[in-house]
């Protein structure tokens, strides 16, 4: 469920649903938060990150749409997102692109399988 697409009146309901799901599902092995590499994290991104972190379940963050910026700017964008989200060194944040899978897929699968 994409909380960003919820109507204002339904945001509390969506948030409660997501929080309940994340905290009560014992069979969750890994949570993946997908954010847009081109923009600072939105308030919804930050809220989801906080939900995910508070579950104490394994997670990684994927910065999607890496193909939409110059490949020479990807590391800079990742570092900026890390700062904005105040990530610790051991928290995984990976660039990804559905368009240019050949560049990012191996690292993505390596990270997913590590959990």
């Amino acid at each position: 469920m994409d909380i960003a697409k919820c109507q204002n009146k339904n945001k509390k309901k969506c948030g409660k649903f997501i929080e309940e799901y994340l905290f009560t599902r014992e069979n969750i092995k890994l949570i993946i938060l997908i954010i847009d590499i081109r923009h600072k994290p939105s308030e919804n991104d930050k809220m989801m990150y906080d939900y995910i972190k508070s579950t104490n379940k394994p997670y990684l963050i994927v910065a999607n749409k890496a193909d939409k910026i110059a490949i020479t700017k990807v590391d800079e964008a990742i570092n900026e997102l890390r700062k904005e989200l105040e990530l610790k060194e051991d928290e995984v944040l990976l660039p990804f692109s559905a368009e240019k899978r050949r560049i990012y897929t191996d690292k993505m699968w390596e990270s997913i399988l590590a959990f």
Side-chain angles (χ1 to χ4, degrees):
M1 175 175 291
D2 184 352
I3 197 162
K5 291 183 180 178
C6 291
Q7 296 290 334
N8 282 338
K9 65 182 179 179
N10 290 327
K11 280 193 178 182
K12 280 187 179 179
K13 188 176 179 181
C14 289
K16 183 174 171 26
F17 170 79
I18 291 167
E19 186 174 6
E20 183 178 312
Y21 183 86
L22 293 177
F23 280 95
T24 61
R25 298 282 188 226
E26 292 180 21
N27 60 344
I28 293 175
K29 301 292 183 212
L30 175 66
I31 301 169
I32 300 175
L33 174 62
I34 301 172
I35 60 176
D36 192 324
I37 198 170
R38 302 170 298 174
H39 308 290
K40 288 185 176 187
S42 69
E43 289 306 310
N44 286 332
D45 293 333
K46 291 176 182 179
M47 181 176 59
M48 285 304 302
Y49 170 67
D50 288 340
Y51 275 143
I52 291 167
K53 198 164 72 168
S54 68
T55 67
N56 292 319
K57 294 182 179 176
Y59 63 90
L60 63 91
I61 304 165
V62 174
N64 197 24
K65 301 191 185 272
D67 59 289
K68 303 295 184 191
I69 62 174
I71 198 160
T72 57
K73 300 285 185 182
V74 170
D75 287 342
E76 182 181 325
I78 291 294
N79 289 335
E80 188 61 33
L81 289 171
R82 291 188 75 78
K83 278 191 244 178
E84 288 289 326
L85 290 171
E86 300 178 8
L87 299 182
K88 296 176 185 163
E89 247 183 75
D90 64 336
E91 290 178 286
V92 179
L93 172 60
L94 299 171
F96 190 75
S97 166
E99 297 287 323
K100 295 185 179 180
R101 288 183 213 146
R102 68 186 181 282
I103 298 173
Y104 303 107
T105 302
D106 290 343
K107 182 68 173 168
M108 180 69 64
W109 278 113
E110 180 183 309
S111 297
I112 290 170
L113 294 173
F115 290 95

